[in-house]
Amino acid sequence: MKQDMIVILDLGSENNSALAREIRALGVYSEIYPHDITAKQLAAIPNVKGVILNGGPNNVIDGVKIDVAAEIYGASVPVVALDHATDKCPAIKESDLRSFVFDTCKADANWNMQNFIDDQVELLRKQIGDKKVLLALSGGVDSSVVAALLIKAIGKQLVCVHVNHGLLRKGEPEQVVRVFREELGATLIYSDSVDRFLDKLAGVSDPEKKRKIIGAEFIRVFEEEARKLDGIDFLAQGTIYPDIVESGTKTNKIVKSHHNVGGLPDDLKFELVEPLKYLFKDEVRACGKALGLPDDMVYRQPFPGPGLGVRCLGAITRDRLEAVRESDAILREEFAKAGLQGKVWQYFTLIPDVKSVGVRDNARSFEWPVIIRAVNTVDAMTATIEHVDWNVLDKIVKRIITEVKGVNRVCFDMTPKPTGTIEWE
């Protein structure tokens, strides 16, 4: 580890990620750890220059107010409480953060992407040795950056598996195969598992159950592919920090389970490799750029691991799933024509499991509504709504209601995050 680090211990705060980002913005690396870390575990973290105890409203577990181990207060590095002094350690105000980091802790501003990459390459080589790694390659930003890091670290020891679960965007499986196998020269296994996933999901309407089914089935597919290979001991994933935060921590209430966090089975037979798990989305993109990935890959639309499964709301049916896929393709095409492709952070369509009365060909219709979501964000923790020009929306609406089978209505979601998450499920 080349970077100096400020450790944040989570004592129930709701702003841990914002604090970590603020410290990183100063050029110093920061990570968040649970309140019950031991002094021995803390001492094992490389280059720690200081510790911040970050308390907040979630500081009671099972009726007991939480605290760090007594030995933490006697650590060999400065320990402070953010904004709340105790009889065990002094407090600092957030406005004094710079002074604490540089004057008190004597940390160097050496946090940058190149150092992060160098550290991860070293850690990956140490963790993996001469074994092989299986990577869940969706073709999205996160898994693509993981692939680039692993190629840099271990080369041909990486085996990528792209699973077509039937929940991908239009043309996506073909694009992934072309880019990674033909253009980047990766060892890529393509698994056509459409029927397998959709059969498992039939009749399942609860979003948490859908995510867990998709996550567990992914692992089973990987296990089957691994058995065909020799020496596969590791599973790589594109887990990033917002995935972990939203899936719940000891002091954080769950927002939603991410398939790569909440959906992993207890009998997982692989050791996980997750080199991006402490990065926010904008940092992941910066990492991809530093690794030399092309812009159209680095800045492509974020896409959830469960894919269109969480945009076909409620129990998934094949006809409604296809309507989501087609309407999403229209939205992306029209946004590109309007110059919004690189401007809006994330945009997509979704279809709830409801129908409304309409008129088609001078007769009553009873069909689905399509909902458009278009948001801007930096770190995926908060988001604002893109105010799309009405003329652009008019074109999109006209195309969707005339080209997508089973749809007679289009709505636009105006809800920021919070209160709404970016995805609906």
Side-chain angles (χ1 to χ4, degrees), residues 108-167:
D108 291 329
N110 54 12
W111 157 242
N112 58 63
M113 268 307 146
Q114 193 54 57
N115 282 346
F116 174 82
I117 290 169
D118 292 344
D119 281 346
Q120 289 303 316
V121 166
E122 182 180 331
L123 291 169
L124 287 168
R125 288 172 178 168
K126 183 177 180 180
Q127 179 185 9
I128 296 164
D130 61 355
K131 302 294 184 180
K132 289 182 180 179
V133 180
L134 204 60
L135 170 64
L137 179 60
S138 68
V141 178
D142 303 332
S143 63
S144 297
V145 174
V146 170
L149 261 177
L150 285 167
I151 289 170
K152 185 177 180 67
I154 61 170
K156 293 297 184 181
Q157 292 168 242
L158 172 65
V159 178
C160 299
V161 176
H162 177 60
V163 178
N164 182 3
H165 49 23
L167 306 171

Side-chain angles (χ1 to χ4, degrees), residues 323-353:
V324 174
R325 196 181 340 263
E326 291 298 324
S327 61
D328 177 77
I330 290 171
L331 178 69
R332 288 189 287 127
E333 184 178 328
E334 291 300 326
F335 264 41
K337 289 179 182 177
L340 297 174
Q341 188 171 33
K343 179 187 174 186
V344 184
W345 191 82
Q346 188 171 9
Y347 45 93
F348 55 88
T349 64
L350 55 100
I351 299 182
D353 190 13

Side-chain angles (χ1 to χ4, degrees), residues 7 9 11 42 50-55 66-93 100 104:
V7 166
L9 296 186
L11 283 164
L42 178 63
V51 176
I52 297 176
L53 309 183
N54 201 23
I66 59 176
D67 196 358
V68 297
E71 295 84 2
I72 297 293
Y73 292 103
S76 59
V77 297
V79 179
V80 298
L82 189 63
D83 289 326
H84 299 286
T86 70
D87 56 355
K88 298 179 181 178
C89 70
I92 62 163
K93 294 181 179 179
F100 172 72
T104 305

